[in-house]
Structures are given as structure tokens and as C-alpha cells.
Amino acid sequence: MQPQAKTVRPNSTINIVLNDSKEKAIPDRKAAALKQTGAPFLKIEEFFNSIIGMEDLKTRVKEIYAQVLVSKKREEAGLKSNAQVLHMVFHGNPGTGKTTIARMVAALFRDVGVLDKGQFIEADRSDLVGEYIGHTAQKTKDLIHKALGGVLFIDEAYSLARGGEKDFGKEAIDTLVKCMEDHHNECIIILAGYPDEMEDFLTLNPGLASRFPIQLSFKDYSAKELTQIAFGMIEEREYCLTKEAERKLFQHLAHVYTRREENFSNARYVRNLIEEAIRKHAWRVISTPNPKKKTLMTLQAEDFDVPLQETDLI
């Protein structure tokens, strides 16, 4: 499964994922190894083994994870546990894995006992902003109460501030800040969006930025990483590439990477490219009588003859 693809949801629909402990089950041998002093990050490595790149981000998450574990050990030793606020801001271009990492945070922190339930609630502006006075505050409070014990992930959070003076978005922000104060250790709130827009958004309320001490940057993927993502998507769809197709795919992605615009869509671009190649493959193969299995699976260089439009780079 490629984590970079974002789920498209209908407006006003809250996506709630209850983490299944069996889904992330670790074999008994590995579970035992987690208790050994020499393998503190084995569990987090298990969570990240399908994630391409993001080395700096993985290090930051390991630091957070280490602090959580050490805090628990201090508590067990009779010391002050130094409970930390774990609200986060994820800033980066689309297709860089923000939603996937947020889901992993929910599962990981449930497993180490930081979160009681570990449910993942994904929301956007329509889930917080109401239609009349008082409606927004109640919607926001209800949403946070659903998230208690888990993670509330608000994508494109800056959209809360885009309605003007008469819009109820500011009320949602103010209510969010107040609820974070009331329930600061009962859930984790993660705000996500484009870098510049998120920086501006955090200045809208005097208490907003200080309530998100953890800020993680999701950088654009390199051409090599984009190619690895493409290979994963192709394998997941049960296709394969000729050597010529591999070469052409990399050359195309390297060219795209060097010409990318400020809000380049990263893995979303790769997904669209692969889907276009699969359509071209189908057009080639459809007229072949009784095609062999290999023919039905193999993408060729000509399937990647995709015109490079300027709009593709954003």
C-alpha cells in the first residue's frame, strides 16, 4: 500500500478509523525484542518500513517516541513523568504522506499507552464550521469529544480562516484553542497543510502556535524517491516494467522534479502518471487476441509517452 495517496471524502463527512491491534501485530519474537534495551525503536521501524524517504521526519518522530517512553520509565521509578503536550503541525506539499504519518501516530501512541483508544478522526473545514451563531462552537466541541483518547487530524487547517469577517471559521479556531486547554492531555490534535499557508494560519490566534510544540516538515520527494513510489504503485496493481520503461519512467520523473512548482503534488503526480500509463497499456493490448499473462502485466516505454503539461507540475 502506498501511503502517499490521499483519500477523497465527501463534504461534511468525518472519517473515523478505529485502529485494529491485529493489523499492526508484531510477531512474538519481535515483541519480546522490544523489551530489550538495545532495541527501543524496533516498533517504530515496523511502522515506518513501508515509508519511502522522510529520514529527517523519521528521526523527529523517534525523538518524540523516545521522550514518551522515557517519561513512562521515570513515572515507574517514582520520578516526575514530565507529561508533554503532543499536538502537532504537519506542513508540506500535497502527496508527501502527512495523512499516513498522522494515522501511524495514532496507532503507535495507542500501542505505547499514550492514547487510550487510538482512534483516528480526519476532518476538514466543513466538519467544524457551522451555519449560524453558536453552531460552530458546538460542532467543534463535539468533534473534539469524539477524538478524546485518539488523534484529531485537520487537513488544510488554514481554510478555517478564509471566510472573511462574517464567517464562522474564526469561532472554530477560538473554540479549538479553548478545548485544547481543557483536554490538553486527552487527545492529540494534528493540523496539516501547505507550508506558507500554515505559517500564516498559526498567527491568527495569539494562543494557537504555542499549543502546537511539535512541527514536522514534509519535504518534496527526490526523483529517485518518486521512482521508488512509482515502482511500489506498479507492483501493488500487479504490473511490471521493461528495462526501457524503467529508464523512461525515471527520466520523466527527474525532469518533472527539476521543473516542479511550489506546490508540486509529489506522489499524487506519480499516481496519475501510472494510471495514465495503464490506460495506454490497455489501449495497446485490447486488440491482441488471447493475450498472455505477461502481456497483460507489462508496461512498456511507449506507455509513458505522456505530454508534460505545466499544470502537471503543481
Side-chain angles (χ1 to χ4, degrees):
M1 178 184 73
Q2 278 300 319
Q4 294 77 11
K6 181 179 179 181
T7 302
V8 179
R9 304 179 297 111
N11 289 336
S12 302
T13 300
I14 302 173
N15 183 15
I16 303 179
V17 178
L18 296 177
N19 288 308
D20 186 347
S21 58
K22 294 181 180 179
E23 181 181 349
K24 291 293 183 181
I26 299 174
D28 292 342
R29 178 176 57 81
K30 292 185 177 181
L34 285 171
K35 299 179 181 179
Q36 299 176 5
T37 305
F41 295 122
L42 181 57
K43 180 174 290 189
I44 200 168
E45 292 291 349
E46 288 283 331
F47 275 79
F48 277 129
N49 63 6
S50 64
I51 301 296
I52 294 171
M54 300 188 188
E55 297 308 321
D56 292 343
L57 185 142
K58 291 175 184 177
T59 299
R60 284 295 310 278
V61 174
K62 286 181 180 179
E63 290 173 354
I64 297 167
Y65 179 72
Q67 188 173 356
V68 169
L69 292 183
V70 170
S71 180
K72 290 175 71 68
K73 291 181 182 295
R74 285 176 57 88
E75 185 178 4
E76 292 169 359
L79 300 170
K80 290 184 178 180
S81 62
N82 298 317
Q84 59 178 323
V85 177
L86 295 174
H87 302 308
M88 307 178 189
V89 172
F90 290 178
H91 47 88
N93 280 337
T96 50
K98 298 186 291 295
T99 303
T100 294
I101 297 300
R103 289 178 185 272
M104 288 184 169
V105 165
L108 181 63
F109 286 166
R110 176 209 61 208
D111 286 358
V112 298
V114 175
L115 296 172
D116 294 335
K117 301 176 183 176
Q119 75 271 29
F120 179 83
I121 299 181
E122 183 180 355
D124 59 20
R125 175 187 164 89
S126 64
D127 300 314
L128 286 89
V129 178
E131 301 174 357
Y132 49 85
I133 296 174
H135 190 206
T136 293
Q138 191 58 53
K139 286 186 73 172
T140 303
K141 289 176 183 178
D142 290 345
L143 191 59
I144 290 178
H145 280 111
K146 288 180 181 179
L148 293 181
V151 168
L152 172 59
F153 178 77
I154 304 175
D155 200 10
E156 297 184 357
Y158 43 77
S159 65
L160 294 173
R162 286 184 171 172
E165 289 295 324
K166 296 182 179 181
D167 184 71
F168 296 119
K170 186 178 185 301
E171 184 182 359
I173 298 170
D174 295 341
T175 305
L176 187 65
V177 170
K178 177 63 167 61
C179 288
M180 289 174 69
E181 184 65 27
D182 295 341
H183 306 285
H184 61 282
N185 285 328
E186 298 179 66
C187 69
I188 296 175
I189 297 177
I190 301 177
L191 306 183
Y194 296 169
D196 291 343
E197 286 85 344
M198 288 305 300
E199 185 176 349
D200 293 339
F201 171 73
L202 291 174
T203 66
L204 295 177
N205 182 295
L208 191 58
S210 63
R211 285 173 169 77
F212 291 89
I214 301 170
Q215 299 203 19
L216 300 179
S217 177
F218 289 67
K219 299 179 180 178
D220 287 341
Y221 291 104
S222 67
K224 182 178 179 180
E225 290 167 345
L226 290 171
T227 305
Q228 288 179 288
I229 291 169
F231 288 165
M233 290 181 178
I234 290 167
E235 182 179 0
E236 182 182 29
R237 290 162 172 76
E238 295 188 335
Y239 285 86
C240 60
L241 298 167
T242 65
K243 290 296 182 182
E244 293 77 10
E246 287 185 11
R247 189 179 305 109
K248 188 164 187 177
L249 174 60
F250 175 74
Q251 290 173 346
H252 178 91
L253 292 174
H255 184 55
V256 165
Y257 177 78
T258 58
R259 296 182 58 193
R260 73 192 188 283
E261 298 289 341
E262 183 178 1
N263 292 326
F264 174 55
S265 60
N266 287 277
R268 295 185 194 174
Y269 177 86
V270 175
R271 181 190 62 205
N272 292 338
L273 178 66
I274 298 305
E275 290 177 354
E276 176 70 13
I278 289 174
R279 286 193 292 271
K280 287 182 176 294
H281 165 270
W283 180 254
R284 282 195 301 102
V285 172
I286 191 63
S287 59
T288 303
N290 301 318
K292 295 182 179 179
K293 181 177 180 179
K294 185 174 182 180
T295 302
L296 294 171
M297 293 178 61
T298 306
L299 299 177
Q300 299 182 1
E302 63 190 275
D303 298 324
F304 292 94
D305 286 334
V306 181
L308 188 62
Q309 304 293 331
E310 291 298 325
T311 53
D312 293 334
L313 304 182
I314 59 177

